[in-house]
Amino acid sequence: MYWVIGFILLLYFGIYHRYTRRGAENIPKGRPCIFASNHASYLDPPLVGLAVIPRKIRFVAWEKLFTVPVFGSFIRAMGAVPVSQQNKNSSAALLRMVMGFLKEGRSVFICPEGHRTLDGELSPLEGGVGIMALKTNAPIVPTWCGGTFGAMAPDMTLPRPRKVYVEFGKPIFMEDLPAELDDREKIALILAKISEFYKKMDEKDKASGLLKVRGK
């Protein structure tokens, strides 16, 4: 089912959104990774799931999304795990769940911003991604979903035929962080590296007009 859904998603994103992928050579081989993505749309998780094939990833999603016809089946088949609103609001519960996936050898998708942007602007990053990486020694791959806000902003019911892409930045290896830093300083450095990548990609998309929602 995973491969069938992957093929369907490839057709959908390839034809309807003219999907492209960049930087796949930056994904470390042979070990679970944390794909730390910006979050502008509900399209982001399945888009990244498509971009990392043949690797399989796990990610958590609000349980109500699984009740949406077709979309719910897609994200479940692509590795989504439903969480209740109560657990969604519990950072500790989510940290334990995601770290469990990593310790099982599974790669995960997370959004350091914590929520979808409502206006297309970047939000401050939360420290959970750094904690996960330090406790599991999993490398972080900064990940950018471009064009998804214009394709399906939070106030849209259905996606529009806008171009989207995924770009993977240089991985952040925990063993490469300065040994003299304590955990808090390492987390701050990790967030700074991810934020730098996001800002660079955000500026590029704004210059190209990919963040615009036409007709608004």
Side-chain angles (χ1 to χ4, degrees), residues 39-133:
H39 197 15
S41 169
Y42 282 143
L43 296 177
D44 300 333
L47 183 60
V48 174
L50 170 64
V52 301
I53 286 178
R55 185 188 295 253
K56 297 180 181 180
I57 59 173
R58 303 302 298 271
F59 58 96
V60 296
W62 187 24
E63 61 185 358
K64 283 193 175 181
L65 293 179
F66 292 81
T67 66
V68 179
V70 181
F71 182 75
S73 299
F74 276 174
I75 61 174
R76 187 183 296 275
M78 293 304 290
V81 177
V83 294
S84 66
Q85 185 64 44
Q86 181 179 0
N87 283 336
K88 184 173 181 285
N89 292 332
S90 170
S91 298
L94 288 179
L95 279 172
R96 286 195 298 271
M97 181 182 295
V98 175
M99 286 192 295
F101 295 149
L102 290 166
K103 290 176 180 177
E104 292 170 1
R106 303 171 183 270
S107 294
V108 299
F109 166 98
I110 68 169
C111 301
E113 293 173 283
H115 53 79
R116 287 179 303 158
T117 177
L118 298 178
D119 57 6
E121 297 297 327
L122 293 172
S123 300
L125 306 187
E126 299 176 356
V129 62
I131 296 173
M132 293 175 199

Side-chain angles (χ1 to χ4, degrees), residues 24 44 61 88 124 141 143 147 149 151 157 186 195 205 207 209:
D44 300 333
K88 184 173 181 285
V141 182
T143 304
F149 184 78
T157 303
K186 288 180 179 178
S195 182
D205 281 0

Side-chain angles (χ1 to χ4, degrees), residues 13-36:
F13 281 112
I15 296 173
Y16 194 67
H17 294 294
R18 294 168 288 152
Y19 152 77
T20 55
R21 180 182 69 170
R22 310 167 189 168
E25 67 278 3
N26 291 324
I27 302 176
K29 295 180 173 62
R31 59 191 298 187
C33 302
I34 299 172
F35 293 94

Side-chain angles (χ1 to χ4, degrees), residues 122-162:
L122 293 172
S123 300
L125 306 187
E126 299 176 356
V129 62
I131 296 173
M132 293 175 199
L134 290 176
K135 288 188 176 295
T136 60
N137 202 40
I140 297 172
V141 182
T143 304
W144 183 260
C145 293
T148 55
F149 184 78
M152 192 176 182
D155 61 343
M156 294 181 188
T157 303
L158 296 173
R160 299 177 181 180
R162 304 289 186 263

